[in-house]
Amino acid sequence: MTDLLYSEAESDLRAAVRALLADRAAPAALPARLEGTGPHDAALWRALAGDVGAAGLLVPEELGGQGAGPREAAVVLEELGRAVTPLPYLTSSVVATRTLLALAPAGGPPAGPAAGLLAELAAGRRTAVLALPLTTGPGAPEPGAPEPGSPTPTDPPPPAGHRPRTPAAETPAPHTIPAPAPAPIPAVADAVLADVLLVPRPDGLHAVDAADAEIRPLTPLDLTRPLAAVTVPADAAGTRLAEAAASRAAVREGLLAGAGLLASEQLGLAEWCLEESVRHTRTRHQFNRPVGSFQALKHRMAELWLEVTAARAAARNAADALATGSADAPLAVAVAQAYCSRVAVHAAEECVQLHGGTGMTWEHPAHVYLKRAKADQLAYGSAGHHKDTLAGLVGLPAPAGR
């Protein structure tokens, strides 16, 4: 039977990460940082990634990592969610890392350029992001996937001497038509912080230096997770890491891990919102009694506690399924994301409302949590996307003509 409880090692890891964030990234200071020099703290990233070793949790020891797994990475994300810490852990240490790990040959670690990049990521010396929109979920169409009806390597060749008929009106002009400029990839999370872009192309997966791409920052709802439009010039070939089929499989694996472990970040966010709401309603008095003693507020927080407890079960199950390589991992991830994204938003909304006028101010961090929760509703697939996935996996397709 699967044990979803936290191990002693996971509890120790949680304590180390929580102590670091309490000292260097207190939620109360976040609104001021968003207005000042920006939310990203390079020194904090070095401490978490290198000193604590969190960046290498998914990387095998032979490549310089910790040789742990998704359960341990989920613990780190719970704590990052509790503090809404603006660090590229999910995008670099989970999604990009898991994508690179999926390029490994059967029975061994990745080799070649992928292995070298993994070692750099594990040490925290570099960061990488998958150059896809943040809203791309597992199973969604990816750049490089063949179009329906397009020829594949298994299609039979045309007969000898066959020439396709070209209508006269469509005869190519004698002059050369320049190739169209590459379209920008919208809403790539943490691209402005990345050293390397993992770019899916029709011929495979390429590692491109971020300095060779055009990265245009966007203004996101959630200021703690920067978004950018990324344009990779055609002449920025970078290093080809895998051919097309292996690239598509690796990208799917990376997105699945991102969606599954995002649920742990959402769990941590919801926990903080619940705890902060309980704390505030205990100390805030009206009519000479704590407002938390009013039955209507008790019921709201009790309902929220039940939702957070269920979210913990769903998030832990997804992390464990990813860690064990279970065949049910896509099912567990779909359940976790469909549920935890809603719970995180509800918890953040209740936190804002139960704080009254204080919760509506910029100085209180409740609005930061609400914006992160709303943005996370779309990250790595919306709840609707995951519900459709879940319906397909269990054989309950949506009604025709929906």
Side-chain angles (χ1 to χ4, degrees):
M1 182 176 178
T2 301
D3 183 7
L4 301 183
L5 299 178
Y6 299 97
S7 67
E8 183 178 354
E10 290 167 354
S11 298
D12 291 343
L13 176 61
R14 179 191 303 282
V17 175
R18 184 173 294 189
L20 173 65
L21 297 180
D23 182 52
R24 305 277 290 274
L30 190 53
R33 287 168 53 198
L34 293 175
E35 285 189 304
T37 57
H40 181 63
D41 185 341
L44 176 60
W45 172 248
R46 288 192 296 269
L48 178 70
D51 299 346
V52 177
L57 286 175
L58 300 183
V59 181
E61 291 182 291
E62 55 264 40
L63 295 180
Q66 308 300 320
R71 284 179 59 124
E72 290 78 10
V75 171
V76 175
L77 282 164
E78 284 183 34
E79 294 305 310
L80 294 177
R82 285 180 63 92
V84 196
T85 312
L87 294 177
Y89 188 81
L90 180 63
T91 50
S92 179
S93 301
V94 173
V95 177
T97 297
R98 189 82 170 191
T99 301
L100 293 171
L101 288 170
L103 300 175
L117 181 54
L118 278 169
E120 293 288 305
L121 298 181
R125 290 189 292 268
R126 306 185 85 187
T127 58
V129 299
L130 187 60
L132 290 175
L134 180 61
T135 53
T136 307
E142 304 148 11
E147 294 293 333
S150 62
T152 67
T154 58
D155 290 338
H162 170 76
R163 291 187 178 184
R165 296 179 61 187
T166 303
E170 296 180 10
T171 302
H175 62 277
T176 301
I177 301 176
I185 306 167
V188 179
D190 293 327
V192 296
L193 307 174
D195 301 300
V196 178
L197 302 173
L198 302 182
V199 183
R201 285 174 168 163
D203 65 334
L205 185 67
H206 293 249
V208 177
D209 284 343
D212 295 335
E214 178 188 343
I215 299 176
R216 180 170 57 86
L218 305 175
T219 303
L221 171 67
D222 172 23
L223 296 177
T224 65
R225 181 168 281 151
L227 302 178
V230 176
T231 304
V232 183
D235 57 355
T239 302
R240 187 168 179 250
L241 302 176
E243 50 86 27
S247 167
R248 291 192 290 272
V251 168
R252 285 195 297 270
E253 184 68 22
L255 293 174
L256 185 69
L261 296 187
L262 174 62
S264 293
E265 178 187 291
Q266 292 165 327
L267 168 63
L269 185 153
E271 276 192 316
W272 183 92
C273 290
L274 174 59
E275 293 174 7
E276 181 64 16
S277 298
V278 171
R279 184 202 63 78
H280 176 76
T281 55
R282 279 178 173 173
T283 58
R284 172 69 170 156
H285 284 67
Q286 285 185 354
F287 307 108
N288 204 31
R289 58 186 292 190
V291 295
S293 66
F294 299 148
Q295 189 176 42
L297 300 191
K298 283 182 179 180
H299 286 183
R300 290 171 66 172
M301 288 182 282
E303 179 184 357
L304 191 55
W305 181 87
L306 290 173
E307 292 182 0
V308 171
T309 301
R312 178 181 300 282
R316 291 295 291 170
N317 183 53
D320 185 76
L322 291 169
T324 58
S326 170
D328 289 333
L331 180 67
V333 168
V335 170
Q337 259 311 298
Y339 185 73
C340 292
S341 62
R342 179 182 66 81
V343 172
V345 171
H346 184 211
E349 289 174 340
E350 290 287 72
C351 183
V352 170
Q353 293 180 17
L354 293 173
H355 276 75
T358 301
M360 305 293 178
T361 63
W362 175 268
E363 290 75 16
H364 194 279
H367 68 93
V368 181
Y369 284 78
L370 179 56
K371 291 169 184 174
R372 168 66 71 89
K374 291 297 291 183
D376 281 355
Q377 274 192 310
L378 300 178
Y380 302 113
S382 65
H385 169 85
H386 291 288
K387 288 176 181 178
D388 286 343
T389 299
L390 178 60
L393 291 171
V394 300
L396 292 174
R402 188 191 67 168

